[in-house]
Amino acid sequence: MATTGSTTPDGRLVPLYQELRRRGVSNFPEVARGLGLTSEEYERCRVELIELGLIVPTTTTHATNADLRDERWQPDADTVASVDPEIALLRLLDRERARLREHLAEADVAYSTLETLAGTFLRPGSLTRSEIAVEALTDYRRIQQALEDIVDVMQESSASMYPGGPSREVHEVTLDRDRRRLEQGIRVRAIYAREHASRPDVAELLDARSELGAEIRVAAVVPLNMIIVDQQFAMLPIRPEDARKGAILARGRSLVRSYLGLFEHCWHTAVPYGPGPGAAAERGGDGLSEQQRAALRMLATGMKDEKIARNLGVSLRTVSRMLSELMQELGATTRFEAGVRAVQMGWLD
């Protein structure tokens, strides 16, 4: 890892980074002048902040991580986006793990540098993942940077929901991200709205994601855009009905687990995308008898088998057999879930 030759940060570095962090995306020379940095201090701080991953060059439009890795990409030298110190540290740790496997002799130096970074830049308690933090993001570039940041440091799993259909421009980015994460053994799950999943361009993306190994489900209703990473980060809109109003970035397991609970509810009431009992059920429903429809309607309300049998005028055994067959066709694990899925998929319309 490149360093500036010291084990402690420059005295001007912390206030400069704090101001850049407060602004999110800003003109670096303008901020430096406002803090009264000399030309020498300006250059030293700029180099160190970039080396530490605490800022990244950007342009008037958001620069992706793929752009930053492309030697042909030319940033605006004056505009930078700040990166959360925890994200910067996790990225740094990830790079160092890979390098240390090849250069074990440098382990002591790398450990000392990382320990200094952790003590200097991270808030107390952040390494234990016990702290809760919520940040409102309104700048589009800052939102995209934050999204790439949390996805880039993913270690365990991702869970996302999309009420709208993704544009074709993001297909390759999504598939490249899936490919890298799945190769690392990370679990990838996503829920899409059924009405958009039937579009040819979206279906093409979902087919490709499924082939890579991502777990995809579709639902009649997806409440909001949301992505959850490692039960540690969650990003969701400030106003679900208008994504243009900005996003909320939540950190901390105690808070993020609440959002994960919402995702898990939607996941269990959605149906698997692609071939299989659940997907076949989504296309079905036209061949149901009136008796089967009536049984499913009552099941969806939580009615017990005994009462369903009395209302239909059939035996309890007949109801049990009928519902078991319908559950299998719907790909449901419980009878109540079968009733909910039948409603969601329009079987009872």
Side-chain angles (χ1 to χ4, degrees), residues 302-318:
M303 192 177 295
K304 301 294 185 182
D305 290 8
E306 292 83 356
K307 190 171 182 180
I308 294 175
R310 287 198 302 271
N311 289 345
L312 293 177
V314 298
S315 69
L316 181 59
R317 181 178 297 179
T318 298

Side-chain angles (χ1 to χ4, degrees), residues 17 21 54 83-90 121-123 251:
Y17 172 69
R21 179 77 180 134
L54 292 170
V83 175
D84 184 276
E86 184 175 357
I87 295 290
L89 179 63
L90 289 171
F121 293 110
L122 292 184
R123 299 179 296 273
R251 303 182 185 87

